[in-house]
Amino acid sequence: MQVVAYLVYLLASVLFIFGIKKLGSPKTARQGNQLSALGMLLAVVVTLLDQHIVSYEYIILGIIIGSLIGGILAVKVPMTGMPQMVGLLNGFGGGASALVAFAEYFKEADMGLTFEMSTLITIVLSILIGSVTFTGSLIAFGKLQGIVTGKVVKYPLQNPINIILILAVVAATVIVVMEPSNINVLYGIGAVSLLLGVLLVLPIGGADMPVAVSLLNSYSGLAASMTGFVLSNNMLIIAGALVGASGIILTMIMCKGMNRSLMNVVLGGWEDAGSDSGAALDGPQKTAKSIDAEELAMLLDSVQSVVIVPGYGMAVAQAQHAVRDLTNILEKKNINVRFAIHPVAGRMPGHMNVLLAEAQVSYDKLFALEDINDDFPNVDLAIVVGANDVVNPAARHDEKSPIYGMPILNVDYAKTVIVNKRSLNVGYAGIQNELFFYDNTLMFFGSAKEAINSLNNELKAL
Amino acid sequence: MENLDLLMQIYVFVLAIFVGFELITKVPPTLHTPLMSGSNAISGITIVGALLSAGAQEFTISTILGVVALIFATINVVGGYLVTDRMLKMFKKK
């Protein structure tokens, strides 16, 4: 029976791998996710047949409660709330791993087993990573939901405190290994880890959440892997490692998209950006030109190619459907419409793509930065909807700018740039955007949804 | 022998990370959100450990921990897969 179980675990591992492989294309992605879910189902079913499982009441209770909560969350969450949702789910995964490690410790202690050193170390790692993921994700959720401040939070002695806490965990691990029966030390490790999760995520600013959520995603996988070591279960090790790798890759892509190191993001960088630099503030006062919906409609009537650059502002204003309508109207006029998506647009990797997919924009109209950037000189009109720092040309030439070196979408190379924004306010990096004052830039003021809708009405009236 | 087991597990861990890197670098940016929520659901695999603790013969503290872990992991698994499916359903080419 044990052999069968292990073979099914192997099958489940293979299904996870195939599932992720099929995420390589939007055509097969849904099937891939279903294969992965099938793997999970098989793993659960074969575990339920395990001879160590004798009472099913609590299992049924737990599965019903968990399924209800998970199911309701999955059905109810709006697409704009997806970053929070993923943040929260990361936390539950990490929390579960930490709890399983604790449970395993008690189980073995009750049976009077002597612990291997390696088991104790993996139990500690499982508790550490799982707990950090749990509270870190709750803070990330709070920041994305607006419950916790989205600002960069600095507290005194930030780094020394974190280093001391990590050293404390290391010291406690040594004590646990020498004296495995000392449960209080294990509780202490759990408590310190929970605190560490809060302290590590609190300093990270709202717009850096794509990095934080990716990193926590990676941690939740690593926590599962560590639990796999505790239970000597290769399936958990494999599944966790896949997720760990996924989160790390996404984290690196996000950091590259901002031209910042992981350390800089994690420590809450860009702190003094606003005061130190801001060439536009020191320079001669320039004025931005603006355009209203009626004029813009007439301008659009005369162009052939349009590229829309969505940003977090589109998500906040829930303007994705209005943008879709605009796309349809323009396409009816035989205008070529494409979307340029910056890797860090929004609050999580791929955030804009999901919102546009929700609004039924065909995914083949969505282009990544490297695929569209060289084409901007051939574009008649670039429309920036709720994006700011990712289109700031200062990143290309102003060495003093905090965002210098960050890859940006070269919208300023288009013949005309329309920037839809509520005001001339600074973006997340806290710097003025010189693009607003360019000769070929026209500001189209207003909240994204109302502004685009009024534009659509004007276009229809033409 | 025990050490050899651990060593084999480390082998599996390291190789799986490489498989993960190979697979995930091929996922296009447009699918990064579903990738994240879908892989997130996979990390709920720890549900297996939760089941073993929650269903043990005697009711102990590890049963309680197991049940809470089971609730957490189930939220992670069910919520993760369903929300990923909901998103992927929307990705259409016209």
Side-chain angles (χ1 to χ4, degrees):
Chain A
M1 192 55 219
Q2 196 71 359
V3 176
V4 176
Y6 276 94
L7 286 175
V8 174
Y9 284 161
L10 175 63
L11 177 63
S13 308
V14 170
L15 286 171
F16 293 146
I17 292 174
F18 258 109
I20 295 180
K21 188 173 164 57
K22 280 182 178 285
L23 273 176
S25 155
K27 278 188 220 104
T28 55
R30 197 175 173 207
Q31 197 198 354
N33 186 54
Q34 288 163 352
L35 281 181
S36 163
L38 176 66
M40 186 65 71
L41 184 66
L42 288 176
V44 168
V45 170
V46 81
T47 305
L48 287 174
L49 300 174
D50 189 290
Q51 53 176 348
H52 294 103
I53 296 186
V54 282
S55 66
Y56 287 88
E57 304 93 323
Y58 296 111
I59 290 183
I60 294 169
L61 182 75
I63 288 188
I64 289 177
I65 296 175
S67 301
L68 275 177
I69 299 175
I72 291 170
L73 281 176
V75 175
K76 295 272 180 196
V77 63
M79 284 301 146
T80 42
M82 208 46 80
Q84 294 93 302
M85 173 77 175
V86 174
L88 201 58
L89 290 177
N90 277 335
F92 284 124
S97 290
L99 289 169
V100 169
F102 260 114
E104 200 57 27
Y105 172 86
F106 283 115
K107 213 193 287 178
E108 299 202 10
D110 281 353
M111 288 191 285
L113 295 179
T114 48
F115 289 96
E116 292 282 332
M117 188 172 95
S118 59
T119 310
L120 287 168
I121 292 176
T122 48
I123 285 178
V124 168
L125 282 174
S126 210
I127 292 172
L128 169 68
I129 305 174
S131 306
V132 167
T133 312
F134 182 62
T135 49
S137 297
L138 290 183
I139 297 292
F141 168 80
K143 284 194 172 233
L144 290 162
Q145 189 74 27
I147 305 169
V148 179
T149 174
K151 292 206 182 90
V152 171
V153 178
K154 292 268 167 181
Y155 44 91
L157 299 175
Q158 186 178 325
N159 293 339
I161 288 177
N162 288 334
I163 291 168
I164 288 169
L165 289 179
I166 291 168
L167 289 177
V169 172
V170 174
T173 308
V174 175
I175 298 176
V176 169
V177 169
M178 293 198 303
E179 201 186 338
S181 59
N182 196 338
I183 180 66
N184 288 331
V185 180
L186 216 53
Y187 284 137
I189 292 174
V192 170
S193 307
L194 290 172
L195 179 63
L196 206 52
V198 174
L199 294 180
L200 287 176
V201 178
L202 207 54
I204 303 177
D208 284 339
M209 278 301 134
V211 180
V213 175
S214 304
L215 201 58
L216 290 165
N217 187 238
S218 177
Y219 289 170
S220 77
L222 289 178
S225 262
M226 291 309 134
T227 310
F229 279 105
V230 175
L231 302 170
S232 294
N233 185 323
N234 279 334
M235 173 181 64
L236 264 74
I237 297 178
I238 295 172
L242 294 173
V243 182
S246 160
I248 286 291
I249 290 178
L250 291 174
T251 306
M252 293 188 312
I253 294 175
M254 293 301 107
C255 286
K256 206 175 135 213
M258 292 189 286
N259 188 40
R260 291 165 65 196
S261 69
L262 183 56
M263 278 320 266
N264 180 283
V265 175
V266 170
L267 297 178
W270 273 350
E271 68 245 64
D272 300 318
S275 51
D276 281 3
S277 69
L281 294 178
D282 305 334
Q285 277 295 319
K286 285 177 269 184
T287 47
K289 288 169 291 184
S290 70
I291 188 168
D292 66 21
E294 194 185 347
E295 292 161 334
L296 182 53
M298 282 191 284
L299 179 63
L300 275 166
D301 209 32
S302 65
V303 301
Q304 277 162 356
S305 64
V306 168
V307 170
I308 300 173
V309 180
Y312 184 57
M314 182 184 84
V316 174
Q318 302 261 22
Q320 64 270 33
H321 297 96
V323 170
R324 184 264 330 270
D325 292 341
L326 173 65
T327 312
N328 290 345
I329 294 169
L330 294 178
E331 283 181 339
K332 272 200 197 109
K333 292 177 184 289
N334 282 325
I335 298 168
N336 174 15
V337 183
R338 288 173 294 171
F339 288 83
I341 317 278
H342 193 279
V344 295
R347 286 292 184 266
M348 74 180 293
H351 191 188
M352 295 295 118
N353 307 71
V354 167
L355 292 182
L356 291 169
E358 184 202 12
Q360 292 168 326
V361 174
S362 174
Y363 62 77
D364 59 349
K365 292 195 179 69
L366 275 45
F367 292 85
L369 180 138
E370 61 272 20
D371 296 327
I372 200 164
N373 234 2
D374 293 339
D375 208 31
F376 273 110
N378 307 319
V379 172
D380 293 329
L381 198 69
I383 306 178
V384 180
V385 184
N388 191 346
D389 295 327
V390 298
V391 293
N392 190 343
R396 282 199 310 262
H397 63 80
D398 182 0
E399 284 178 36
K400 279 188 298 184
S401 172
I403 62 166
Y404 177 70
M406 167 170 140
I408 58 152
L409 287 161
N410 295 328
V411 289
D412 52 314
Y413 291 167
K415 291 186 188 80
T416 308
V417 188
I418 303 295
V419 179
N420 167 233
K421 240 181 140 284
R422 277 179 303 186
S423 67
L424 286 173
N425 284 351
V426 297
Y428 172 65
I431 49 164
Q432 188 53 271
N433 191 337
E434 58 181 56
L435 173 73
F436 304 161
F437 307 98
Y438 276 25
D439 289 337
N440 61 338
T441 302
L442 295 164
M443 300 301 295
F444 178 37
F445 289 115
S447 175
K449 195 168 171 181
E450 286 94 62
I452 303 287
N453 275 332
S454 66
L455 171 63
N456 290 343
N457 290 334
E458 292 292 342
L459 276 165
K460 283 183 209 153
L462 278 179
Chain B
M1 192 58 206
E2 191 67 34
N3 280 334
L4 199 62
D5 281 353
L6 176 67
L7 214 56
M8 292 317 285
Q9 287 164 9
I10 294 174
Y11 267 59
V12 169
F13 179 65
V14 172
L15 293 178
I17 286 183
F18 275 94
V19 173
F21 266 82
E22 283 303 311
L23 290 174
I24 284 133
T25 40
K26 296 201 175 68
V27 176
T30 198
L31 290 175
H32 276 169
T33 296
L35 167 68
M36 197 171 249
S37 59
S39 64
N40 184 251
I42 295 177
S43 74
I45 188 66
T46 191
I47 192 171
V48 166
L51 287 171
L52 290 171
S53 292
Q57 191 160 19
E58 280 171 50
F59 186 89
T60 59
I61 183 159
S62 90
T63 316
I64 302 172
L65 292 170
V67 173
V68 179
L70 182 59
I71 294 174
F72 279 14
T74 310
I75 295 174
N76 190 193
V77 168
V78 174
Y81 280 121
L82 284 183
V83 87
T84 308
D85 191 64
R86 206 179 126 205
M87 274 189 272
L88 289 173
K89 245 188 331 203
M90 303 183 314
F91 278 85
K92 290 201 184 85
K93 193 163 140 182
K94 275 183 247 169

